[in-house]
Amino acid sequence: MTAPLPLSGVHHVALITADYPRARHFYIDILGARVLGEAYREERDSYKLDLELPGGIQLELFSFPAPPPRPSYPEACGLRHLALATTQLDSCVEQLISRGVEPEPIRIDEFTGARFTFFSDPDGTPIELYETAP
C-alpha cells in the first residue's frame, strides 16, 4: 500500500466568473465573505479576488473575458459542487431567501440522515448547504 500524502486540509477553492461585479457582490454581500486581497491583472484583463467565507473557507474568484459556460446538467465530469457546512440550515435558508437567493427545497441524505439543500452562484456553480451537528 502506498503511504498517504502528508496533507493538512483544503487550502482554497478557485472559481471563474463571467460577471465579476455580480459575483463579487454575491460572495461578499450575500454569503458574507471577507476580502483578503484583490488585484487586477492587466495582461490577462482579469481580476483575482481572494475571499474568506465564514468558517475559514478560502475562495479565489477569477474573472476572464468570455469564459466558456460550465457544463452542469446533466452532471458533467469534474468538480460537482461546493459544499458548505452549517449547524443552522433553516436560518441559512431564511437568510438566503431574504437576500434574493432561491435555494432548492431541503432534502434528507438517505445515507447519513443529514439535511441539505442546494443553490447556485450567479454563474450557475452549485453550492450545497449541509447541516452538521452543533
Side-chain angles (χ1 to χ4, degrees):
M1 182 165 137
T2 305
L5 295 174
L7 303 176
S8 60
V10 174
H11 184 268
H12 69 270
V13 175
L15 302 169
I16 297 174
T17 181
D19 185 332
Y20 183 73
R22 182 180 67 176
R24 187 182 192 284
H25 164 74
F26 178 81
Y27 283 99
I28 294 170
D29 299 324
I30 303 295
L31 295 188
R34 182 173 65 91
V35 175
L36 300 175
E38 185 172 25
Y40 177 72
R41 300 176 305 176
E42 190 170 343
E43 70 281 0
R44 292 181 167 193
D45 190 20
S46 169
Y47 282 93
K48 178 181 185 279
L49 179 62
D50 294 314
L51 299 168
E52 182 180 61
L53 288 170
I57 301 160
Q58 290 191 33
L59 296 178
E60 289 182 344
L61 183 64
F62 293 93
S63 69
F64 292 105
R70 179 190 189 279
S72 185
Y73 301 101
E75 297 293 351
C77 286
L79 182 64
R80 184 173 181 183
H81 62 266
L82 172 62
L84 305 175
T86 179
T87 59
Q88 300 177 35
L89 184 62
D90 294 319
S91 177
C92 286
V93 167
E94 289 170 12
Q95 289 182 50
L96 287 170
I97 291 170
S98 75
R99 297 171 188 177
V101 176
E102 296 181 24
E104 295 177 359
I106 293 174
R107 296 184 268 168
I108 307 291
D109 184 311
E110 62 185 88
F111 297 107
T112 67
R115 298 179 335 132
F116 67 98
T117 188
F118 281 91
F119 61 98
S120 296
D121 80 356
D123 292 291
T125 304
I127 301 174
E128 178 182 12
L129 288 176
Y130 195 89
E131 191 169 54
T132 58

